[in-house]
Amino acid sequence: MAEHPDAALVRRGFEAWTSGDMETVGTLMTADCTHHSPGESQISGHIKGRDNVLDMYRRMFEITGGEMRVELHSISVDGRGHAVAANRFFATREDKGLGIEMNGALVFTIIGGKISDIDECIEDIDVSDNFWGPAE
C-alpha cells in the first residue's frame, strides 16, 4: 500500500532536516508556517514565518555544532490534514559538555500539500531548557 501523501511529506521533511538541507525543508512549508516549541529556552516560543522557522533550525545546528540527529519512529495521519511524527532526538553541546536524548512528537497541520503549523511536544521540558540554554 502506498504511503499517505501527508506522511510522505513529513518523512521528506525529516530526511531533509536531518541532513541539514534547510532549502528543501523550506519548500515543504507555507510562507506563514509557525513552529511552536515548548519551554523557556533560546529555541522556545511561537516562531512565525517560514524564514524565521528555518533560522531557528539553523540556530539549533549552530548551537550543537551540527551534532544533532532525529530517529523517526512513526508517522500517523488522520486524512484531514494532520500528521503526528513520534521521534527520538539526540544532540550534544561541546561548549557546555552536555548531551540530550529525548522522546518527542511533532504535530503537523498540512494545507494544500504544505506544512502550515508544527506543534512540538517533548518528554522533559526542564531538561530541554537546560540543554538549549536560556532565551537571549
Side-chain angles (χ1 to χ4, degrees):
M1 183 185 300
E3 186 172 46
H4 189 278
D6 292 345
L9 175 71
V10 169
R11 187 175 309 283
R12 279 194 313 274
F14 267 85
E15 290 167 356
W17 188 91
T18 298
S19 69
D21 181 1
M22 294 304 123
E23 184 175 331
T24 296
V25 172
T27 67
L28 305 176
M29 300 175 173
T30 61
D32 62 349
C33 182
T34 301
H35 185 126
H36 309 275
S37 185
E40 301 293 328
S41 76
Q42 62 181 313
I43 64 157
S44 297
H46 306 284
I47 297 89
K48 298 177 183 180
R50 175 180 45 225
D51 292 341
N52 293 327
V53 172
L54 293 173
D55 285 345
M56 186 264 286
Y57 295 163
R58 288 183 191 102
R59 178 79 177 123
M60 292 171 72
F61 277 95
E62 181 182 297
I63 291 168
T64 63
E67 296 298 320
M68 287 190 311
R69 67 183 172 86
V70 176
E71 289 180 358
L72 181 59
H73 289 243
S74 66
I75 303 171
S76 301
V77 299
D78 68 357
R80 296 178 292 114
H82 300 100
V84 178
N87 62 79
R88 189 152 183 89
F89 177 78
F90 304 84
T92 58
R93 286 195 65 177
E94 295 296 327
D95 64 324
K96 292 180 88 175
L98 291 176
I100 192 169
E101 182 176 332
M102 186 175 295
N103 290 322
L106 297 172
V107 181
F108 296 87
T109 300
I110 300 164
I111 298 173
K114 297 227 181 217
I115 298 164
S116 67
D117 197 79
I118 306 165
D119 278 303
E120 184 176 359
C121 300
I122 56 177
E123 191 171 45
D124 191 321
I125 292 171
D126 292 335
V127 169
S128 180
D129 282 349
N130 182 60
F131 177 80
W132 293 110
E136 298 174 346

